[in-house]
Structures are given as C-alpha cells and as structure tokens.
Amino acid sequence: MTTQSFQTPISTRLAARASQLKGSVIDSSTSLLASQTHDIVRFAMGAPNAELIPEAELAELYGQPAEGRYDYAATEGNPQLIDQIVAYQARLSRHIDPERVLVTTGGMQGLDIAFKLMVDPGDLVIVESPTYTNGIATALSYQGQILEAPVDDDGLVVEALPGLVEAAGKIPKVIYVIPNFQNPSGRTMSEARRLKLIELAEHWDAFIIDDDPYGALRFAGENVPGFDELSPENHRIVSVRTFSKVLAPGLRVGWIELDPALRTLAISAKQSMDTCTNAPLQQLVADYLAQGRLESHLETLRSVYAERKQAMVQALQRTFDDQVETTDPEGGFFLWLTLRGRYAKINTEELFPLALEFGVAYIPGPAFADSGAFTDALRLCFATSTPARIELGVQRLHDALEAMLKRGAAV
C-alpha cells in the first residue's frame, strides 16, 4: 500500500483567517535592533529604559517564599493580585468591582480576548487613524473589517463617525480607542468626545474597547474622566489594562475589566489560550502592589518622562524649526512627527534603513494604519532615552533626512 502524495500548496490548506494575520512592525523592530552592531538611539520600541525598571526590588520580592507560587493559578487570576488591582485603581480614583476583573498575559491578550468575543468575519471595527499596530492586527485576525477614523488634538474625531458609518453601509460592532496619550500620537480624547462616543455605542449597540496602557503616566495637565467613570459598569465597555508600561514589559501581566456575564465567556476564551497567566509573576506583581511600591515608582516615572518629553520637543524645534510638525503630549511615551517643508515628500518607510545606518530608530507612520497612510510621518518614543541621547538621536534623524534629500537630488 502506498501513501498518496498531495502537491497542493500549503497556503490552500490553511484557515481563511490566516490570510488576515499581520505581523507587528513594532515587535519585529526588537529583533531587528538586537541584530545591529553599531550604536543606535532607540526611539522605536515603546518601553522604559532598563534603569527605570525596579529590578532590585522585583528580584528581592521574587526570592521570598510564597505558597503555590509555581502551581497553576486560577484562570481569572491570582485572588491577591485581583484585590491589589482593585486597591491600586481605587488609589487612582477608579472604583471597580473585582467580579469585573480578569488577569491577562499582558495587554495584548486582553485585546485578543475582547476581539475574539465580539468580532465575526466581516464585522465593522472602527479604529483611530493612526492607531496601535497590534490592535489593528488583532481585529484583522478575527476577520474584522477596519474603518479608519481621524484623530486631532482632542483625540478621536467622534463627530465624523456617523458619516463614516453611513458611507460604510453597515453599523460597527466594535469601536477600538486608546483614549489617554494615544499610541502613536500621544493625544488624549476630550471628555465631551468620550461622552458622545458612549452615546453612539448605545445607538449602534456596539462595544467600546478602551485600551489604556498609559493613563497613570500623566505628567502635565488635568485628568480626563475615564469611560468607566462616565458610564459605570456599562456592559458595552471593555477596558484593557497592563503593567507593562508602568512596571516592566517583560512581566507580561495585565488585566481586563468587563461585564461579569462577559467575564465568564472571557475566562473560557483564556482557558483555550494559556490556562492561566504566569503564576510566579502574578504573585510578584501582587506583592509589589501590596507593599505600596508602585505609587512612588510612578512618581519617578512621571518626573523622568516629563523631562524627556520636553527634551525631545525642544531638540526637534532647535534642529528642524518649521520643517516638521509634532504633537506635544501631557503623558505617556510617544509623540508623532509629520514631515513638512523640504522634507514633506520623503517616505518614512524608505527613510528607515538609512536612519538605521545613521544610528537612530523609529517606527514609520504607515505601520499605524491599515490603509498604509502617513508615509510622511513617524512615531518617536521619548521614554527610553536620556535627554543627552535624545539630543543625539534627533541630530542623527536630521542627518539621515538630509542624506535622503541628497540621494533624491542625485537620482
């Protein structure tokens, strides 16, 4: 008996959703930068510098004995960690029911669970444009149809949504937003627009995925009430949170807040992913929070990031004057740079390899839109670098742009 050999291309044997899977330009940059052997000022990844991660404190806590640390944890999360999350949020004037909390393996798993529960193939998903690359990728992995909506200095232009929805010919199932210090633009959605978005979600019977990794990192201006404060326990709102930006990204510990009925389904979804989030690291974060260490750490981060943001804004102004336009965030990690004047026709994707040669890395604008828009823009992370390194990186970016102009002139 012989076994028949099929020569069908493997791509034809894959699930239909496989064609919708998009890699992350942001995540891929980690591997790319690790392979470089020359000095690079890293404005690309949205992560704190190593010296801003409390490694000694975490190592001290990790070494302490804890019963069951290495056993399986409950899928919904370590009860101590859930209690500490609730207490931590209360100290930020956010009051949440522990029955609405599900611990996740980082913010990305929270997004994945939310889109998995809500999006069927062909469902309309409204996203900010620009927005977080991995958010778009997750919606597409469940075969959602992306509808891009503009962003201005007050965040998502909610007033534009009815017209965009009418033109799309279908109502949205999900509206995905990053309301505070948005990735990549650094902008914050106004309270008036948050209220209007809640009204529209009610009108369309749509879910709001409120992705807020940066809200605790405000270093200027006044706090804007969150969706949960404006519409408490609204079953249409799923809030995605993480410790990656305020403690350490490698911990991969986050949580989502959602209606208890949805939480039951979310637990089932998580059980088919990873059973539970890393138990030792859940305990580590719970102990860190229980000892009240996060608040003083956040104060340090806010002070440092304020200084670094100001250093980047000033360096860009000195170096480029009116040849670039930038946002001026009041918190978070990022600002958004748009090329103007003599640089306006330069494609930031095409510039990237040259910038890397000159020793500076960023994320090109098209990474933040499914449509590939924003070829004249790029995202810069100010959180990772000291003011001196920021000054050096901005100068290298300028030198790369000038070299790009000369190459164009020589063609």
Side-chain angles (χ1 to χ4, degrees), residues 287-361:
D287 292 343
Y288 189 85
L289 292 173
Q291 294 189 10
R293 302 190 188 203
L294 185 56
E295 277 70 23
S296 61
H297 180 60
L298 283 171
E299 286 300 317
T300 298
L301 293 181
R302 293 178 190 123
S303 175
V304 170
Y305 293 162
E307 178 187 32
R308 293 182 177 187
K309 191 273 310 208
Q310 192 64 20
M312 181 170 280
V313 168
Q314 291 176 349
L316 290 168
Q317 289 174 343
R318 284 194 304 270
T319 306
F320 291 103
D321 194 20
D322 60 354
Q323 300 301 297
V324 301
E325 181 181 310
T326 70
T327 55
D328 190 6
E330 297 180 328
F333 277 25
F334 308 112
L335 62 79
W336 185 246
L337 182 149
T338 304
L339 300 176
R340 298 294 188 219
R342 53 204 298 267
Y343 303 128
K345 293 184 179 180
I346 291 178
N347 184 309
T348 57
E349 284 187 311
E350 296 173 1
L351 174 70
F352 181 78
L354 183 61
L356 209 56
E357 288 180 26
F358 273 80
V360 61

Side-chain angles (χ1 to χ4, degrees), residues 1 81 103 150 154 222 230 276 316 409:
M1 181 177 178
L81 178 57
V103 175
D154 288 322
E222 298 295 326
L230 298 171
C276 64
L316 290 168

Side-chain angles (χ1 to χ4, degrees), residues 377-395:
L378 53 91
R379 188 193 76 177
L380 298 175
C381 176
F382 52 77
T384 308
S385 304
T386 64
R389 292 286 288 174
I390 287 170
E391 184 78 34
L392 177 61
V394 168
Q395 185 59 53

Side-chain angles (χ1 to χ4, degrees), residues 33-87:
L33 292 175
S35 68
Q36 305 300 307
T37 57
H38 63 294
D39 178 60
I40 296 174
V41 179
R42 304 188 176 204
F43 294 151
M45 284 297 292
N49 199 293
E51 85 266 4
L52 294 176
I53 295 174
E55 293 183 5
E57 291 182 313
L58 293 173
E60 174 194 340
L61 290 171
Y62 194 84
Q64 295 179 359
E67 184 178 351
R69 183 189 290 272
Y70 297 102
D71 202 351
Y72 286 112
T75 303
E76 57 267 34
N78 178 324
Q80 295 176 54
L81 178 57
I82 291 175
D83 288 345
Q84 289 303 322
I85 287 171
V86 170

Side-chain angles (χ1 to χ4, degrees), residues 77-116:
N78 178 324
Q80 295 176 54
L81 178 57
I82 291 175
D83 288 345
Q84 289 303 322
I85 287 171
V86 170
Y88 161 57
Q89 292 298 288
R91 293 193 292 273
L92 294 175
S93 300
R94 298 185 64 249
H95 301 285
I96 55 176
D97 182 347
E99 293 300 313
R100 295 176 62 86
V101 176
L102 168 63
V103 175
T104 59
T105 304
M108 273 308 305
Q109 187 181 63
L111 290 179
D112 195 272
I113 290 172
F115 281 115
K116 176 178 280 190

Side-chain angles (χ1 to χ4, degrees), residues 37 256 259 290 351 396:
T37 57
I256 54 176
D259 185 87
L351 174 70
R396 289 176 176 179

Side-chain angles (χ1 to χ4, degrees), residues 148-293:
E148 297 181 357
V151 175
D152 66 15
D153 286 341
D154 288 322
L156 176 67
V157 183
V158 177
E159 301 84 351
L161 298 187
L164 292 170
V165 167
E166 183 178 3
K170 63 170 78 172
I171 61 173
K173 187 76 162 293
V174 170
I175 305 164
Y176 170 61
V177 292
I178 307 169
N180 295 314
F181 321 122
Q182 193 241 21
N183 180 2
S185 71
R187 296 176 173 117
T188 294
M189 188 186 300
S190 68
E191 180 177 349
R193 285 185 172 171
R194 296 180 196 216
L195 287 167
K196 181 62 177 176
L197 190 62
I198 292 169
E199 290 179 12
L200 288 174
E202 175 84 21
H203 174 68
W204 289 322
D205 195 19
F207 291 100
I208 296 173
I209 297 179
D210 160 30
D211 186 10
D212 186 17
Y214 311 103
L217 295 174
R218 175 176 286 280
F219 46 69
E222 298 295 326
N223 283 323
V224 181
F227 287 104
D228 56 328
E229 298 171 80
L230 298 171
S231 186
E233 300 189 357
N234 187 326
H235 71 275
R236 291 185 176 82
I237 298 171
V238 176
S239 299
V240 178
R241 307 287 185 256
T242 182
F243 290 105
S244 291
K245 308 303 183 184
V246 298
L247 191 49
L251 292 173
R252 310 312 304 138
V253 176
W255 75 98
I256 54 176
E257 300 164 20
L258 69 174
D259 185 87
L262 281 178
R263 181 177 182 257
T264 301
L265 292 172
I267 290 170
S268 296
K270 181 172 168 60
Q271 285 171 343
S272 68
M273 293 177 177
D274 61 2
T275 303
C276 64
T277 294
N278 184 301
L281 296 184
Q282 286 193 68
Q283 186 64 55
L284 175 63
V285 176
D287 292 343
Y288 189 85
L289 292 173
Q291 294 189 10
R293 302 190 188 203

